[in-house]
Amino acid sequence: MPRPALAETDISAQLREAIARGQFSPNERLVEAELAERYSVNRAHIRTALAVLDRDGLVVRLPNRGARVRAISDAEAMEIAETRLAIETMVARQAALRGDAKGRASLRRIEKDMRRAVTQSDAALYSQCNAALHRELQRMAGNATANRILNTLKSHLMRLQYRGILLPGRPRASLAEHAAIVKAVCAGDADAAERAMRKHLTSFTRLLKQAIEATRMGGF
Amino acid sequence: MPRPALAETDISAQLREAIARGQFSPNERLVEAELAERYSVNRAHIRTALAVLDRDGLVVRLPNRGARVRAISDAEAMEIAETRLAIETMVARQAALRGDAKGRASLRRIEKDMRRAVTQSDAALYSQCNAALHRELQRMAGNATANRILNTLKSHLMRLQYRGILLPGRPRASLAEHAAIVKAVCAGDADAAERAMRKHLTSFTRLLKQAIEATRMGGF
DNA sequence: CCGCGCCAGATTGTCAACAATTTGGTCAAC
DNA sequence: GTTGACCAAATTGTTGACAATCTGGCGCGG
């Protein structure tokens, strides 16, 4: 059986998840003693977790003044989306080149579920499929480095969604984009896969930009 | 005056640097008590630093068995180089779009120094200029997210160099590539900048692949 | 009424002691 | 000789105590 994860690693992950889900507001103070009690660990673990999250950019810490949930500016949200685009287009390419038959079958199945979600107007299902599709592409690409980075970036972007700044997207419009990605990856056409992913994420980025300009948020 | 960095953050940076410079061998055990003495801090700080470096992928930790310098496989070295390429091409594009006059002047000056380094066969100077050039491009692009990621990736790649797996590059050959990047960025031509950077890093990646196949290293 | 210094409480930063676990070696039994 | 139990040293994991620092409010003097 696999050795259990270190408690510290575990706490980092839990806190990361909680912040990504918007359970803490931007700039909210993260008091070590409180968190230690809430997660039933001692302060040392919380301290370590906060240091890790600081490195991830989810938290800022000021000497002697503790940690806060990092507020992300409009400009930075765009940066994150652009960086994600750069990496994920590479992932799409690699998935097309290195993907296995099992992965391709998964993609097709996910696409089918997406179509069903659209016809049934099931936004939750679509969102779930969307996540599954991107996850499967990452798995197929088999680029652990890229995956780690992408997951961190996504936890930032997830905050937008949970804070209602970014809507779950428009299934009908993005379905075609997703289908194009699946088609290209399954055909093993790296260039087409990259193009399709770029197109998809460019429209995501455009959406984000609009949302930002609409809400004129001061950080999330 | 700027508030001093947290001791923990500082120790993480020092350890990261030491590992990047090859002062610890792959798989070498990192005993907390030893490091605490070496860096004149207590074990708690070292523990935290190790957790951060674990997240960075520079270290692996096994429960009750401590931390080791992470050995990076051939395949993973390629992954890292590819991911770097994906991000840095974006940085080049953004530098072309958003760079300021001061940055462009810096680039030109660095290019001049590079030429001098080549004519004088000063490998150390060239290497220094190379780092300065990439750093300046990052600054011009102003993408803090990308910068953070790139710096982490570079600390991995630096290990290759310090371990003698990857030579400092061949100045004469790469000078032209660098010049092309500078030219495109200074002209504000984003597409050309991206292409030039892609070309440059593609040859870097090719070089890495050859080095890997030559040494058949089992991890670094 | 307003500003300023100062105090108390809250919180972070530091440290050392102790508990739990792993590791490597020794020794006895077969 | 080999196997296996056991022990001791090394190391990691956990915890609590204490020191240092910040924060907000109170009262004093202007």
Side-chain angles (χ1 to χ4, degrees):
Chain A
M1 56 188 159
R3 208 173 270 270
L6 288 158
E8 290 158 354
T9 304
D10 208 51
I11 291 296
S12 297
Q14 281 186 58
L15 252 180
R16 193 189 338 272
E17 176 91 6
I19 293 174
R21 296 205 168 190
Q23 289 173 26
F24 297 98
S25 322
N27 287 316
E28 180 171 344
R29 279 192 72 184
L30 296 172
V31 177
E32 295 176 0
E34 276 177 20
L35 295 176
E37 187 172 11
R38 166 151 12 169
Y39 291 100
S40 306
V41 293
N42 56 38
R43 262 182 66 210
H45 287 156
I46 296 293
R47 249 180 116 62
T48 301
L50 290 174
V52 172
L53 265 47
D54 183 358
R55 176 92 183 138
D56 279 353
L58 282 170
V59 148
V60 277
R61 293 191 309 155
L62 295 174
N64 291 311
R65 313 207 316 169
R68 287 174 184 276
V69 175
R70 178 132 171 272
I72 293 183
S73 67
D74 300 356
E76 198 172 346
M78 287 303 296
E79 277 181 12
I80 293 168
E82 285 162 355
T83 306
R84 179 217 179 163
L85 182 148
I87 300 177
E88 201 145 347
T89 52
M90 176 194 72
V91 166
R93 161 176 288 277
Q94 295 180 344
L97 292 174
R98 305 175 192 161
D100 53 349
K102 192 159 121 339
R104 289 189 286 272
S106 282
L107 291 184
R108 290 200 196 89
R109 198 167 36 68
I110 292 169
E111 186 190 338
K112 201 182 297 179
D113 289 345
M114 277 185 155
R115 288 189 191 287
R116 188 157 53 82
V118 169
T119 59
Q120 298 175 359
S121 299
D122 187 338
L125 176 61
Y126 191 85
S127 169
Q128 202 181 318
C129 289
N130 177 53
L133 190 144
H134 286 272
R135 213 178 315 122
E136 181 61 29
L137 287 172
Q138 284 183 232
R139 196 196 60 75
M140 288 169 77
N143 188 326
T145 302
N147 290 352
R148 192 146 30 106
I149 297 169
L150 273 182
N151 292 338
T152 303
L153 294 179
K154 282 182 184 173
S155 65
H156 279 114
L157 293 174
M158 209 187 300
R159 290 173 66 193
L160 288 168
Q161 218 168 8
Y162 278 96
R163 294 191 66 72
I165 294 157
L166 200 59
L167 301 177
R170 39 205 75 174
R172 192 169 296 281
S174 78
L175 178 59
E177 294 168 4
H178 279 129
I181 295 169
V182 171
K183 186 179 167 199
V185 170
C186 287
D189 185 339
D191 289 336
E194 183 176 330
R195 269 198 311 276
M197 180 60 86
R198 168 162 287 119
K199 190 171 176 188
H200 176 51
L201 290 183
T202 299
S203 65
F204 170 81
T205 304
R206 190 166 38 235
L207 212 65
L208 175 59
K209 187 177 236 162
Q210 287 171 5
I212 285 173
E213 281 166 3
T215 62
R216 270 277 143 257
M217 63 183 178
F220 69 91
Chain B
M1 56 189 157
R3 206 173 270 270
L6 289 158
E8 290 158 354
T9 305
D10 208 52
I11 292 296
S12 296
Q14 281 186 57
L15 252 181
R16 193 191 335 274
E17 176 92 5
I19 293 174
R21 296 204 170 192
Q23 290 173 25
F24 298 97
S25 321
N27 287 316
E28 180 171 343
R29 280 192 71 184
L30 297 171
V31 177
E32 295 176 0
E34 275 177 21
L35 296 176
E37 187 171 12
R38 167 155 7 170
Y39 292 100
S40 305
V41 294
N42 57 37
R43 263 182 64 213
H45 287 156
I46 296 292
R47 251 180 115 62
T48 301
L50 289 175
V52 172
L53 266 46
D54 183 358
R55 175 93 183 138
D56 279 353
L58 282 170
V59 149
V60 277
R61 294 190 309 154
L62 295 174
N64 291 310
R65 313 207 314 171
R68 287 175 183 276
V69 175
R70 178 131 171 273
I72 291 182
S73 67
D74 301 357
E76 198 172 347
M78 287 303 296
E79 276 182 12
I80 293 168
E82 286 162 354
T83 306
R84 179 216 180 166
L85 182 148
I87 300 178
E88 200 145 349
T89 52
M90 176 194 70
V91 166
R93 161 177 288 277
Q94 295 180 344
L97 292 175
R98 305 175 191 161
D100 54 350
K102 192 159 120 341
R104 289 189 287 271
S106 281
L107 291 184
R108 290 201 196 87
R109 198 167 35 69
I110 292 169
E111 186 190 338
K112 201 182 295 179
D113 289 345
M114 277 182 154
R115 288 188 191 288
R116 189 158 52 83
V118 168
T119 60
Q120 297 174 0
S121 298
D122 187 338
L125 176 61
Y126 191 85
S127 169
Q128 202 181 319
C129 289
N130 178 52
L133 190 143
H134 287 272
R135 214 179 314 121
E136 182 60 30
L137 286 172
Q138 284 183 231
R139 195 197 60 73
M140 289 170 76
N143 188 326
T145 303
N147 290 353
R148 193 148 26 111
I149 296 169
L150 273 181
N151 292 338
T152 304
L153 294 180
K154 282 182 185 173
S155 65
H156 282 281
L157 293 174
M158 210 188 299
R159 291 172 67 193
L160 289 169
Q161 217 168 6
Y162 278 97
R163 294 192 67 73
I165 293 157
L166 199 58
L167 302 176
R170 39 205 75 174
R172 193 168 295 282
S174 78
L175 179 58
E177 295 168 3
H178 279 129
I181 295 169
V182 171
K183 187 180 168 200
V185 170
C186 288
D189 185 338
D191 289 337
E194 183 176 331
R195 268 198 310 277
M197 180 61 86
R198 167 162 288 119
K199 190 170 175 187
H200 176 50
L201 291 184
T202 299
S203 65
F204 170 81
T205 303
R206 190 165 39 235
L207 212 65
L208 175 58
K209 186 178 237 163
Q210 287 171 4
I212 286 173
E213 281 166 4
T215 63
R216 268 279 141 256
M217 64 185 177
F220 69 91

